[in-house]
Amino acid sequence: MQSNVEDGSDITTDAEIIGRILSGRINDFEIILNRYRGYIFKIVSGRLPADVVADLSHEIFIEVYKSLPNYDERKMFRKWLAGIAIHCCYDYWRQHYQNHEISISALTEDHKRWIDEVLAAKSEDVFNNIENQKEAREILQWALADLSAEDRMALTLVHLDGLSVKEAAQVLGWSSINVKVRVHRSRKKMRKRIAAMLSGDI
């Protein structure tokens, strides 16, 4: 049985709560909302502009509620929930794809130091645990702005969330080779864009 409790204060399993909701106790969905609000917010805030995070997080929970009848109890609820959140972020970028860039003049010395680390990186480590670094998040959003919605999602799933290529392919419903090619292409494009900025070409 799943416990999946965020704060440990409620031992009722997710499956039990979902069963109650589907049997008509719809107010119990508030338990799911309270239990996973922070988790969803973290996923969304790492992928979308700050001014849309709250609204999209709300929309995600609406989608979760509507999708509960399709939930398979054999799957971990937390992972199923993350999949819905990621797809909602993906849909956002497909619908709103355009360059929302951070002005180059607004980049601080901290931003530039982080860029130097990216350009000097010999591995993928610089992309890991990035969510706790303010400058990294901001400059990453600047660099990601030039990517398509598909490339953006592939890159963030593999490098920011730490999913394997196979796991990212499962989340997105793509082939592993498609994910691998997009990630490689996106890293190359981001590095080229950042290097051009540092050299004053953009």
Side-chain angles (χ1 to χ4, degrees), residues 4-72:
N4 292 346
V5 179
E6 294 285 287
D7 59 9
S9 62
D10 185 351
I11 61 173
T12 308
T13 66
D14 295 328
E16 289 171 337
I17 298 169
I18 292 168
R20 298 201 308 244
I21 295 168
L22 295 178
S23 67
R25 295 174 57 178
I26 61 176
N27 288 338
D28 282 358
F29 186 72
E30 186 175 355
I31 300 173
I32 295 292
L33 178 63
N34 291 332
R35 184 173 288 183
Y36 289 104
R37 181 184 287 118
Y39 178 58
I40 292 300
F41 186 85
K42 183 176 180 181
I43 291 174
V44 176
S45 63
R47 288 175 167 79
L48 301 180
D51 59 341
V52 303
V53 168
D55 286 344
L56 194 76
S57 296
H58 179 69
E59 291 177 17
I60 287 170
F61 278 107
I62 292 175
E63 185 63 31
V64 168
Y65 178 78
K66 293 191 297 185
S67 301
L68 283 181
N70 301 321
Y71 170 61
D72 183 348

Side-chain angles (χ1 to χ4, degrees), residues 61-100:
F61 278 107
I62 292 175
E63 185 63 31
V64 168
Y65 178 78
K66 293 191 297 185
S67 301
L68 283 181
N70 301 321
Y71 170 61
D72 183 348
E73 291 186 14
R74 293 172 298 180
K75 297 181 179 179
M76 183 180 295
F77 181 71
R78 184 184 178 92
K79 188 172 182 179
W80 180 80
L81 194 65
I84 291 178
I86 289 168
H87 274 285
C88 286
C89 293
Y90 175 42
D91 288 341
Y92 171 86
W93 285 117
R94 285 197 303 178
Q95 295 169 16
H96 300 85
Y97 175 57
Q98 54 184 315
N99 286 346
H100 292 295

